[in-house]
Amino acid sequence: FASLQQSRAVARKHMAQAASAAVPLITVTPTAVQPALVLAYRQWGDATRMPEVVQRNRIAHPGFVPPQPLQVARE
């Protein structure tokens, strides 16, 4: 079991590094608490990219994005 857990951790770390290297990121800081849907629309003009914001920044509730620095794709 310990070997499987270690392998899973190594694979997860590698995948995170590969994903971050493939997509250029910028830091965006919302001015107030707002839904991830609004943030995605303001950033890219595409509200369907909301799950990307939520997943990349590990936001607990997509309706309430805190006003703290967030990592988003440049494009």
Side-chain angles (χ1 to χ4, degrees), residues 24-50:
L25 300 175
I26 59 171
T27 301
V28 174
T29 305
T31 57
V33 175
Q34 59 186 293
L37 187 75
V38 172
L39 182 66
Y41 184 78
R42 288 183 180 165
Q43 182 65 33
W44 301 294
D46 183 6
T48 63
R49 293 182 70 179
M50 180 267 303

Side-chain angles (χ1 to χ4, degrees), residues 3-68:
S3 296
L4 287 174
Q5 289 289 62
Q6 183 180 8
S7 296
R8 180 183 287 166
V10 170
R12 193 173 287 156
K13 182 178 178 183
H14 172 72
M15 294 301 286
Q17 288 174 346
S20 67
V23 177
L25 300 175
I26 59 171
T27 301
V28 174
T29 305
T31 57
V33 175
Q34 59 186 293
L37 187 75
V38 172
L39 182 66
Y41 184 78
R42 288 183 180 165
Q43 182 65 33
W44 301 294
D46 183 6
T48 63
R49 293 182 70 179
M50 180 267 303
E52 180 181 336
V53 174
V54 173
Q55 183 179 21
R56 185 179 309 275
N57 294 287
R58 296 186 178 143
I59 296 171
H61 191 287
F64 302 96
V65 176
Q68 64 186 21

